[in-house]
Amino acid sequence: MSDIVGVLERELGSDAIVGPGHERIEDYGRDESPLPEYYPPACAVLCESTAQIAAVLRICLERKVPVTPRGAGSGMCGGALAVEGGIVLSTERMKKIIEISPDDLVAVVEPGVVTGVLQEAVEAQGMFYPPDPASLEYCSIGGNAATNAGGPRAFKYGVTREYILGLEVVLMGGEVLRCGRRTAKGVTGYDLVAGFVGTEGTFGVTSELVVKLLPKPPAAATLLGVFANVALAGTAISAILRDGLRPRVLEIADKMSIDVIRAKSRYRFPADAGAIVLLEVDGDPDGMAMAMERIGMRFDELGALDVLAATEPAERRAVWEARRLISASLKENYRVKVNEDICVPRGRIVEMLARIDRVSADTGIPCAVFGHAGDGNLHCNLLGHDDPADPAVQQRMWAAARMVFAHTIELGGTLSGEHGIGLTKRDFMPMEQSERLMEWQRKWKSMWDPSGLLNPGKVFPARQRCVE
Ligand code: MLT
Ligand code: ZN
């Protein structure tokens, strides 16, 4: 492995290599996960084309060097960290929107295109790309496909997988595979696209994507229900679900989450907010007005302290900017932040909120809860002011996370609704999946990557390190 940096430099040119001593090398040893450790790669290779990705994967297979693919590094579970050494392969320079087709309602893009940039480009032409992870201003579409990212609008429109029609993927060794389609329907052969999406860069490296677009909804409006506490807000969410109302977004944020964004938010959240339900409707203006009225009345019946409508674009932007700041603001306010994205069946949302509260009370670890409650997908952030590098602190936080996971699974839920498993949650996999089920998935991975060199150490527990 010692000469891999030199070999890659000769093949791709020194401009493509971030090697030891480079001022940016540290960036490639971290991501947005709560891990205190730093995983420096031998180098990061910034590929600019499918041919370059293929060359890197050929060279690394020949020399038995592990490769960790990386999009924008916005992942929250350590999926892009070179935990077993080797190199990081970044697609951040592949930012071309190759085509936007209003006739076919598709866009063809390189993996490094920032999600928000794609959204703006298609909206300028009257179309709509719904998946909206909170990091949309800097995350990339390749990373979104790798984790099958969600976001608030998943409530009505679904997650990334539902918008990826076709993929070009480079396999370990350099073979380039094109799968999927650009048609609205298509059932020819097995659905390899669905199979690749969400595999966290362990099957292949995405080099091009065909994404599905929708016509842009004519209008949208935002509604905020202010409640005295998170339990009441959760009850309101369940009531809306039972009423059969389908806003495009149905989010929750508790008091701790609101309090960290208050100071920096252009939107003025009510001072007495113990929790909010944040909701958005879209469609034709008449239908929207009716839906807003019904939801507003329901909130009133359920004891909302206030119901606020934001219909003007600037005001709506301010609300959403604030919402997207919650995660980063919690990180600024607390030295330790273990953020999870558990998902429970919709009927168990209220119960899950109560159980998270109980874990927090029992462990004495403050916990901020926000997120996509309408999907049952709750971001449960265990917080602290201690030194994150202290192993005892990490141990305590992850023991509490384990309690949250246990409740989640007991209620029929899943460890991750949208962030993925990566490194941080791999040892918890046996809590949800049987050894047999994981074995089948390992076999599937080894079909695409028999060498095991592509993003090693992710998704499944290292066998000797299972958490029972
Ligand atoms: C969000 O919805 O804000 C993110 O998925 C969660 C996070 O950043 O912790
Ligand atoms: Zn989220």
Side-chain angles (χ1 to χ4, degrees), residues 74-152:
S74 55
M76 307 207 124
C77 305
L81 298 177
V83 59
E84 294 190 9
I87 66 143
V88 160
L89 189 166
S90 167
T91 53
E92 73 198 55
R93 287 187 173 170
M94 297 178 68
K95 284 188 186 306
K96 269 191 234 94
I97 297 181
I98 298 164
E99 182 194 354
I100 295 176
S101 168
D103 291 332
D104 292 347
L105 279 171
V106 299
V108 182
V109 296
E110 289 188 337
V113 171
V114 168
T115 310
V117 169
L118 174 66
Q119 288 178 340
E120 273 176 32
V122 303
E123 283 179 34
Q125 298 192 38
M127 287 165 284
F128 186 48
Y129 177 71
D132 60 342
S135 52
L136 63 85
E137 276 165 27
Y138 49 93
C139 67
S140 63
I141 199 85
N144 294 173
T147 56
N148 190 18

Side-chain angles (χ1 to χ4, degrees), residues 76 133-135 151-152 251 323-324 326-328 337 339-341 370-372 379 381 418-419:
M76 307 207 124
S135 52
E251 299 261 311
R323 158 63 183 89
R324 290 194 194 103
I326 295 178
S327 188
K337 169 177 175 280
N339 58 327
E340 295 309 336
D341 72 314
F370 67 95
H372 324 296
H379 295 311
N381 285 250
E418 58 173 12
H419 292 169

Side-chain angles (χ1 to χ4, degrees), residues 54 67 133 214 299 341 353 424:
V67 179
L214 300 178
F299 279 172
D341 72 314
L353 286 166
T424 59

